[in-house]
């Protein structure tokens, strides 16, 4: 048996150079896919239950609304405006940058477009003066990211899209008589969106305007809009903050135990949510 012939120094350099080129090519490819096509996001809170569960990993289409600085890693400031821009539809589940800290991603349902009039009355959503139809689907309970149990009624809500179609999706309602369920009427400014969580009573969303005091999407002065007691007011969402549309749940893990306890992994996987479409 003959021994392998050792590589000459020039051949070693060429082999190392080829490996480095392959690594760089893979990095460029991964960045391009995440920036231009699809990016995975983890759901850390219960603000979108029942539609999205804590521990879901969702695929977000970057092409749906066009591209801005927030489409790219580190949000490069030299990129301005939006390219290949497209407006979301009412009812879309969208990822966007948080209005008070654009390094943070939020995911909510878009319920109001520019010019729309939005209000809540006795727990019912009204769009342009019309109550959004819904059907009672019975009691529903879920555990949030803090381990608290959220119990209420599950409804099938039908949001009218601006093109005449209807987006049917589930919401959770736990109460109807507090300020967040009996709001003033919001008129969505041009260039802005109104976003809400499907967990209507445990979501810091566009109903809460106290933290949006400046900019084109600021609440008009003199209006008695709500403020979230946690200080996480979202306000109207600038269209430029959009990142993409949530399309599908790739997989889902309950995460009741620390990640290093690998023996729990098989029982914590929610097998029924693999490749689950998002309404």
């Amino acid at each position: 048996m003959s021994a392998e012939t050792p590589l000459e120094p020039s051949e070693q350099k060429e082999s190392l150079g080829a490996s480095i080129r392959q690594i760089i090519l893979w990095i460029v490819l991964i960045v391009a896919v995440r920036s231009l096509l699809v990016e995975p996001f983890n759901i850390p809170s219960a603000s979108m239950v029942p539609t999205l569960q804590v521990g879901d990993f969702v695929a977000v289409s970057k092409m749906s609304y066009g591209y801005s600085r927030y489409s790219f890693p580190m949000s490069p400031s030299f990129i301005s405006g939006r390219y290949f821009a497209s407006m979301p539809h009412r009812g879309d589940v969208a990822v966007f940058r948080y209005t008070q800290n654009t390094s943070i991603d939020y995911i909510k349902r878009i319920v109001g477009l520019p010019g729309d009039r939005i209000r809540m009355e006795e727990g019912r959503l009204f769009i342009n003066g019309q109550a959004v139809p819904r059907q009672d689907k019975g009691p529903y309970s879920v555990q949030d990211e803090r381990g608290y149990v959220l119990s209420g009624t599950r409804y099938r809500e039908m949001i009218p899209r601006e093109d005449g179609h209807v987006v049917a999706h589930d919401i959770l309602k736990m109460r109807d008589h507090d300020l967040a369920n009996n709001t003033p009427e919001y008129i969505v400014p041009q260039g802005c969106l109104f976003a809400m969580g499907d967990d209507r009573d445990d979501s810091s969303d566009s109903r809460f305007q106290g933290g949006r005091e400046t900019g084109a999407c600021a609440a008009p002065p003199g209006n008695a809009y709500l403020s979230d007691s946690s200080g996480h007011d979202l306000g109207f969402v600038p269209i430029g903050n959009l990142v993409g549309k949530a399309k599908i749940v790739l997989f889902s893990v309950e995460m009741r135990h620390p990640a290093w306890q690998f023996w729990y992994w098989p029982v914590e996987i929610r097998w029924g949510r693999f490749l689950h479409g998002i309404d």
Side-chain angles (χ1 to χ4, degrees):
M1 181 179 295
S2 60
E4 293 185 2
T5 304
L7 294 175
E8 295 293 330
S10 60
E11 294 175 321
Q12 291 178 351
K13 289 181 180 179
E14 184 176 345
S15 177
L16 177 60
S19 297
I20 291 174
R21 286 194 296 271
Q22 288 181 352
I23 292 171
I24 293 174
L25 180 62
W26 275 109
I27 291 174
V28 170
L29 181 62
I30 291 169
V31 170
V33 169
R34 290 182 75 252
S35 299
L36 301 178
L37 299 177
V38 177
E39 184 173 354
F41 286 86
N42 171 242
I43 304 302
S45 77
S47 70
M48 279 297 293
V49 297
T51 303
L52 299 175
Q53 303 290 325
V54 178
D56 281 353
F57 288 80
V58 303
V60 173
S61 167
K62 293 292 194 71
M63 299 181 291
S64 295
Y65 307 133
Y67 303 96
S68 71
R69 58 180 293 195
Y70 300 120
S71 303
F72 302 92
M74 296 182 290
S75 306
S77 58
F78 61 83
I79 298 177
S80 61
R82 294 173 66 224
Y83 300 88
F84 308 105
S86 179
M87 281 290 291
H89 296 290
R90 280 194 221 103
D92 284 2
V93 176
V95 171
F96 52 86
R97 293 300 176 91
Y98 178 38
T99 50
Q100 294 194 53
N101 182 349
T102 54
S103 67
I104 299 173
D105 292 305
Y106 264 37
I107 184 166
K108 304 286 182 186
R109 190 175 298 276
I110 305 301
V111 302
L113 302 178
D116 282 346
R117 295 177 288 112
I118 308 295
R119 79 176 195 272
M120 294 289 290
E121 183 178 316
E122 295 297 315
R124 296 291 299 271
L125 173 62
F126 283 72
I127 300 177
N128 295 325
Q130 300 295 317
V132 174
R134 69 185 191 185
Q135 298 173 348
D136 190 332
K137 296 186 67 176
Y140 181 86
S141 295
V142 68
Q143 192 175 70
D144 70 6
E145 69 279 7
R146 301 158 296 184
Y148 300 150
V149 175
L150 307 175
S151 297
T153 302
R154 185 173 186 161
Y155 291 94
R156 188 70 168 172
E157 187 177 72
M158 281 71 76
I159 290 182
R161 287 198 346 179
E162 67 288 351
D163 58 5
H165 292 83
V166 171
V167 178
H169 64 100
D170 288 351
I171 63 169
L172 173 62
K173 288 296 294 122
M174 293 179 284
R175 52 189 178 272
D176 292 330
H177 305 299
D178 60 347
L179 291 176
N181 282 295
N182 293 276
T183 70
E185 186 171 77
Y186 305 85
I187 300 176
V188 185
Q190 293 301 311
C192 310
L193 303 165
F194 196 98
M196 294 182 68
D198 287 348
D199 179 359
R200 293 287 164 79
D201 300 310
D202 193 31
S203 172
S204 298
D205 53 40
S206 291
R207 288 172 289 181
F208 303 100
Q209 301 270 333
R212 298 291 301 143
E213 298 176 354
T214 61
C217 291
N223 287 277
Y225 289 142
L226 306 178
S227 183
D228 192 328
S229 59
S230 68
H232 296 156
D233 295 323
L234 177 64
F236 299 119
V237 178
I239 291 174
N241 284 31
L242 287 171
V243 174
K245 180 181 179 181
K247 292 280 195 176
I248 193 171
V249 176
L250 297 172
F251 63 95
S252 183
V253 184
E254 289 189 45
M255 297 190 296
R256 293 183 181 178
H257 300 87
W260 59 268
Q261 295 181 351
F262 59 88
W263 51 89
Y264 286 111
W265 292 358
V267 296
E268 290 198 333
I269 295 174
R270 299 185 182 109
W271 299 101
R273 293 189 65 77
F274 270 55
L275 303 181
H276 180 76
I278 298 173
D279 295 327

